[in-house]
Amino acid sequence: MSKAEDGGAPAPGPDGARLRAVLAQLDAMHRWRGWVWQPGADPFEIIVGAILVQNTAWTNVERALDQLRAAGAMSIAVMDRLPAEELEVLIRPSGQYRQKARKLRAFLDLAGAHGGLRELLAVPKDELRTTLLGTWGIGPETADCIVLYASKQPSFVVDAYTKRVFSRLGLGPGEDAAYGSWKHFFEAALPSDAEAWAAYHALLVLHAKHLCRKRAPLCGGCSLRGVCPSAFGR
Ligand code: SF4
C-alpha cells in the first residue's frame, strides 16, 4: 500500500512539478469565477449537494437546495423528521428523487449512528471514507467530496472533468482508468493539503465547463495550449 493510500503524507512524485504548473495556470484562468462550495459553507448542505448532484447538472441541484431551504429542511434534525414523501417532493428537481431521498436517508442514519454529523465528520479521513463507501448510495466521488469539502480532510476528488482535462494534457493514467488509479496519481504527486485540493477540484470543473468542453473546446482562450498535445487550432 502506498503512503497516499494508507493516509500518510506522500512525497511529491515525478509529475508533481508539472501538475502544479498546470494547476497554477488553471488558477490564473478561473479563480475569478468563484465556486459554489465556499470555505465557510455549511457541511450538511455540502453533503446534501454532493448526493443530489449524482447524474444531474448543478443547476437542477440548486433548485432542490432552494426548495429545501425554503421549507426549513436544510438541517439534519429537520430532515431526519421529514416523511419520505415530503423529502421526495422537495428534492424532485434534482431527478431520481425517490432514489436520492433513500440515499439522504441512509446518510442521516449513518450520522445518527455516529452520534451526529459533527462526530461523523471528525472521524479520520481513511476511516471516514471507508465508512461512507459502505453506505448505500455513496460512491467514491461522493465520498471524496464529503471528506474533502465537508470534513475538510485531504482526499482528492476525481470526476469526468478531471479525467478529460488531464488526459487531453497527456497526464495521468488515461481517461478509461479506474477511479482509484486517478486518485492515486494526484495524491502521490501533490503535497497533502485539503484547502489546495478543494481549490484544484473546483478549478478543474470550471476549466472543463468553460474552456476544455467535451465538444469543441475553446483552446484559443486556454493558456495551456502551448503544452497541450490535444490543443485544437494551434
Ligand atoms: S488547450 Fe484545449 S484541450 Fe488542451 S487543456 Fe486547454 S482547452 Fe483543453
Side-chain angles (χ1 to χ4, degrees):
M1 182 177 282
S2 73
K3 275 193 150 191
E5 286 167 326
D6 72 8
D15 278 323
R18 207 174 154 205
L19 269 184
R20 284 195 297 279
V22 167
L23 292 162
Q25 288 290 333
L26 294 179
D27 188 59
M29 280 189 279
H30 301 292
R31 182 170 281 267
W32 63 274
R33 297 181 197 275
W35 175 244
V36 288
W37 286 333
Q38 299 298 339
D42 173 54
F44 184 59
E45 190 162 325
I46 289 170
I47 292 161
V48 173
I51 291 172
L52 296 186
V53 80
Q54 294 175 0
N55 304 315
T56 195
W58 183 253
T59 48
N60 298 328
V61 177
E62 281 180 329
R63 288 166 52 217
L65 295 178
D66 285 345
Q67 293 198 161
L68 287 166
R69 286 190 209 102
M74 192 58 90
S75 87
I76 202 158
V78 175
M79 193 179 287
D80 204 26
R81 291 195 300 270
L82 269 187
E85 299 73 26
E86 282 184 40
L87 182 56
E88 288 173 7
V89 169
L90 291 172
I91 66 169
R92 193 172 185 140
S94 69
Q96 301 178 343
Y97 57 93
R98 288 210 173 93
Q99 208 180 49
K100 288 180 180 176
R102 281 183 60 206
K103 293 178 181 182
L104 289 172
R105 182 73 255 164
F107 181 82
L108 294 170
D109 290 345
L110 176 70
H114 281 76
L117 184 62
R118 187 191 302 259
E119 290 76 6
L120 175 64
L121 295 180
V123 171
K125 68 181 177 73
D126 292 338
E127 185 185 341
L128 175 57
R129 187 173 190 269
T130 301
T131 301
L132 290 166
L133 288 174
T135 304
W136 189 81
I138 296 184
E141 186 182 332
T142 306
D144 286 326
C145 278
I146 292 172
V147 176
L148 183 61
Y149 287 101
S151 175
K152 301 190 187 310
Q153 300 184 74
S155 193
F156 208 95
V157 178
V158 177
D159 62 4
Y161 295 144
T162 310
K163 292 181 181 181
R164 183 204 304 163
V165 171
F166 277 90
S167 295
R168 285 177 173 175
L169 285 164
L171 292 166
E175 198 156 7
D176 295 332
Y179 187 98
S181 300
W182 276 98
K183 183 175 174 64
H184 177 69
F185 167 74
F186 288 106
E187 294 193 348
L190 297 168
S192 183
D193 181 336
E195 198 176 329
W197 290 9
Y200 293 161
H201 176 63
L203 291 167
L204 280 161
V205 172
L206 292 170
H207 189 59
K209 283 189 170 184
H210 291 280
L211 293 178
C212 199
R213 305 182 308 192
K214 189 169 185 177
R215 292 184 187 81
L218 302 174
C219 302
C222 177
S223 60
L224 290 164
R225 63 189 177 282
V227 296
C228 180
S230 310
F232 293 84
R234 261 202 292 172

